[in-house]
Amino acid sequence: MPSDAFCSECGHQQSKSASPKDIPAPLPPRPSPPPPTDWPTPGTPPPTLGTRPPAPTNCPACGQATGGDVSCQFCGQVLILPAGVLLSSAGLRFGGYVLEAVLFVCTLILGWFIWAFIVFARGQTPAKQVLNMRVISIQQGRAAGWWRMFFREFIAKMLIIFVAAFTFLIPYFWLLWDRNRQELWDKMGNTLVVSDPADQLRPASPDSQEGP
């Protein structure tokens, strides 16, 4: 053992100093994991319970940019609903108004009310059921419930009819220039009208529908 391993005065064994090469190099700091892709942007308020998730910015049907709106202005796909569920065309909507009036008369009025009160729970009116159309709640992303349909058909529409009487029926044509083909009563009820020929949006049971 080398002599410098002991103290020359007391003979006590000295600790062996480690050479620089024996000291392990410090580990590099571990990078912090990246935030998840759905991490909210700072300053963004938390989502409200019961609200729909944001729509995709690109249409999954045609690939066009949608700007995060609820429907694609190019192909009519409703982005918060299953593929194949499109906004009802303006021609089909106006045809529905005519058919509704015909059914109202042919069922002697009372029959129309009974029929309507049954199919309201499916987001439909008698004419919409015949034409495979359905009213959906934008907030819920599914067929509108009974109470929302009642508000849309008997409260919101009555108010718009009163306004239309003094504005040359212009409110009836609102869907022609609206991006989501909404009438004013649709905006009041936060609804869209879609074509659902495959019956994809038919509620499983009345219990699954929204409340008032």
Side-chain angles (χ1 to χ4, degrees):
M1 182 177 296
S3 59
D4 59 358
F6 295 90
C7 178
S8 59
E9 297 181 359
C10 65
H12 186 270
Q13 185 178 6
Q14 303 184 57
S15 59
K16 183 179 179 181
S17 59
S19 62
K21 66 178 181 179
D22 296 331
I23 301 176
L27 295 175
R30 299 180 63 182
S32 57
T37 56
D38 58 350
W39 198 281
T41 305
T44 303
T48 306
L49 292 177
T51 58
R52 65 173 179 84
T57 54
N58 290 89
C59 176
C62 67
Q64 297 287 343
T66 63
D69 209 338
V70 296
S71 67
C72 176
Q73 61 179 321
F74 301 97
C75 67
Q77 170 69 44
V78 181
L79 303 174
I80 59 175
L81 297 177
V85 179
L86 309 179
L87 290 174
S88 296
S89 67
L92 189 61
R93 295 285 299 276
F94 286 121
Y97 300 157
V98 175
L99 180 59
E100 206 80 76
V102 171
L103 293 176
F104 192 77
V105 174
C106 292
T107 57
L108 304 177
I109 303 176
L110 179 60
W112 185 92
F113 278 99
I114 296 173
W115 187 355
F117 288 166
I118 293 173
V119 297
F120 273 3
R122 305 169 194 165
Q124 293 177 312
T125 62
K128 286 180 173 58
Q129 185 181 35
V130 173
L131 297 175
N132 294 318
M133 294 193 293
R134 202 178 298 273
V135 179
I136 68 156
S137 164
I138 298 176
Q139 182 181 16
Q140 302 292 333
R142 62 185 182 186
W146 198 96
W147 286 105
R148 189 179 296 269
M149 288 296 295
F150 182 87
F151 171 80
R152 181 183 184 275
E153 297 298 321
F154 293 109
I155 299 178
K157 277 190 178 181
M158 293 300 106
L159 292 175
I160 300 303
I161 288 173
F162 177 78
V163 173
F166 298 95
T167 55
F168 305 101
L169 304 180
I170 291 176
Y172 280 104
F173 300 95
W174 196 274
L175 64 86
L176 294 177
W177 54 80
D178 189 87
R179 174 169 178 168
N180 294 313
R181 298 177 197 162
Q182 288 179 293
E183 293 281 24
L184 290 179
W185 49 81
D186 287 312
K187 293 187 177 296
M188 293 175 65
N190 199 21
T191 59
L192 292 175
V193 179
V194 301
S195 294
D196 186 24
D199 221 16
Q200 298 184 73
L201 302 178
R202 181 186 177 95
S205 66
D207 295 338
S208 65
Q209 290 292 284
E210 62 187 354

